[in-house]
Amino acid sequence: MKSLLIEKALTAAVREVALPEPGAGQVRLRVEYVGICGSDLHYFYEGANGAFVVREPLVPGHELAGRIDLDPSGALPEGTPVTVHPARFGTPRAGIEQQPHLWPGGSYLGSASTWPHTQGAASEFLVVEADMVRVLPDGLPVRRAVLAEPLAVALHALGKAGDVAGVEVLVTGSGPIGLMAVAAAVAAGARVTAVDVLAGPLERATALGAAATIDVSAAAVEPNAYTVVLECSGVPVSISTALRAVRPGGTVVQVGMLPDDPRPVNLAPFISKEVRYLGAFRFHDEIDFAVDLLAANPGIESAVTHEFPLEDAEEAFAVARDSQRSGKVVFTL
C-alpha cells in the first residue's frame, strides 16, 4: 500500500509499505480523506513538533475519514463509513479520572511523541482499535467527516467556557481550528466575532456564521466587550489581545498551541479583571458530538478548501501553510 512518510525536515515521500493486518480487537480502514493539521506542518517543515523530533520515518495525519476494509469480528461490514478518535489513552491518574486525554503515557495518531513513533493516517489503509472507530450517521458524507477531529478540539474548548447561548464570543485566529471554533460557538447559540490579520480567513469565518469580523492589522478589538474568548492562534500578541478584549470576570480559553519556551504576554488585564484563563488540549469524547454537529450542519464542510493526492504532499503542505489561500487542506486517497 502507499504511505506518505516524513523522513526529516522538508523531506517527504510516498513509499510502498506492507499492508497492515488487524489483530484482536482491531479493524482495518480504507482511508479516503486525511486533514493536514498544524502539527503535520511542523513535522514537515521543521522535522519536529515542539520537543517531539522525527527520529524515524513518520506517517502524518490524525484527522481522517474512510470506510471499514476488514473487521475480523464481523461487527462492522466492509464499506461502513467511519471517522476515528485518534487517541489511545494512557495510565489513569488520581484527580483526573474523568479526563483520559490528560493521562500520561497515551499516544496520538501521526505523532513523534512516542518511540517508536505512532504512525498516522496518510496511508491507503490504517489499523486502529475498534473502540477508536466512530460510525457515520446516514447523511454525513465521508468527506465532511474528515473535520470531526478538529471540530472536537473546538467543542472541547467551548465546553471549558460553559454555556455560551446568547453570549458575545470572540475567536482570535481564524485558521482551521479557529474556523471550527466559530462553527461550534455559532451552533451553541453565541454571537461570534472572528479576528485575524488576513482577509481570506475572515471571509471563511463569515461563511461559517460569524456575525462580525475584525482585521486586527487595521483595527483594534474593543476592550472588555466579550464574555468568552477562544484564543486559537497561539501567538503571544493575540493572547494579550484576548485578555484585553474579555470582559471583567470573563473567560479566555487557550486553544492555539504555543512553543515550550518563555513568550511575552501582558497579564495585567488577567489580574485586574479576575479573568478565568483556561487551557484546552485535544479532547475526551467530544468527537461524538462533532459527528452529530457535522451531520446536522452541512455548511461546516465549506472549511475544506483544497484537496491533494499524497504524491503532491509538498504542494499540499505549502498551501496549508498559506492561511490567506486555504482553510482546511486534505489529502485524498
Side-chain angles (χ1 to χ4, degrees):
M1 69 171 187
K2 293 189 302 183
S3 288
L4 175 65
L5 295 167
I6 296 175
E7 297 169 348
K8 59 182 179 179
L10 300 175
T11 303
V14 175
R15 308 288 189 198
E16 284 289 333
V17 301
L19 180 70
E21 295 295 334
Q26 295 182 320
V27 299
R28 186 170 66 205
L29 312 180
R30 175 69 171 88
V31 180
E32 294 187 14
Y33 294 94
V34 178
I36 296 176
C37 177
S39 61
D40 303 320
L41 296 178
H42 285 300
Y43 284 129
F44 176 69
Y45 283 103
E46 301 156 25
N49 182 31
F52 307 135
V53 178
V54 174
R55 294 185 286 157
E56 65 174 342
L58 174 70
V59 180
H62 53 260
E63 307 170 4
L64 71 141
R67 299 179 189 274
I68 296 294
D69 179 65
L70 175 62
D71 179 359
S73 76
L76 295 174
E78 181 180 354
T80 300
V82 298
T83 186
V84 170
H85 192 313
R88 296 176 176 95
F89 297 130
T91 304
R93 183 68 61 86
I96 53 172
E97 292 89 348
Q98 304 307 312
Q99 298 166 281
H101 60 293
L102 299 181
W103 295 349
S107 65
Y108 217 69
L109 292 178
S111 174
S113 63
T114 57
W115 181 257
H117 297 338
T118 304
Q119 301 299 340
S123 295
E124 290 182 286
F125 296 91
L126 175 70
V127 167
V128 296
E129 280 64 45
D131 63 4
M132 297 168 69
V133 169
R134 302 296 187 271
V135 174
L136 304 187
D138 292 342
L140 176 54
V142 173
R143 182 180 188 268
R144 194 187 312 154
V146 76
L147 295 170
E149 193 275 349
L151 182 56
V153 170
L155 287 168
H156 178 70
L158 191 66
K160 304 285 283 187
D163 185 7
V164 297
V167 164
E168 293 282 345
V169 171
L170 182 70
V171 175
T172 56
S174 297
I177 289 295
L179 293 176
M180 293 299 97
V182 168
V186 168
R191 184 186 187 279
V192 178
T193 298
V195 164
D196 206 278
V197 295
L198 297 169
L202 295 177
E203 291 169 3
R204 289 185 280 275
T206 299
L208 286 171
T213 60
I214 302 171
D215 179 348
V216 289
S217 68
V221 178
E222 182 180 354
N224 306 320
Y226 301 93
T227 302
V228 172
V229 182
L230 303 176
E231 203 303 291
C232 298
S233 72
V235 177
V237 67
S238 187
I239 298 171
S240 295
T241 296
L243 292 170
R244 185 170 61 252
V246 71
R247 68 164 176 79
T251 300
V252 175
V253 182
Q254 186 62 44
V255 192
M257 295 293 289
L258 290 121
D260 188 17
D261 56 35
R263 296 294 168 106
V265 173
N266 179 13
L267 291 179
F270 165 71
I271 300 165
S272 63
K273 293 191 288 187
E274 295 192 0
V275 174
R276 287 201 315 152
Y277 184 43
L278 305 172
F281 181 66
R282 295 177 181 167
F283 54 90
H284 174 201
D285 57 5
E286 287 86 354
I287 197 165
D288 301 312
F289 304 105
V291 166
D292 292 341
L293 185 55
L294 287 167
N297 291 269
I300 299 176
E301 192 172 348
S302 68
V304 178
T305 58
H306 295 77
E307 300 179 10
F308 292 90
L310 291 182
E311 290 79 4
D312 294 339
E314 187 171 340
E315 182 182 1
F317 289 135
V319 172
R321 201 183 196 189
D322 184 350
S323 57
Q324 171 62 17
R325 293 174 61 190
S326 68
K328 175 58 66 178
V329 178
V330 301
F331 290 118
T332 58
L333 291 95

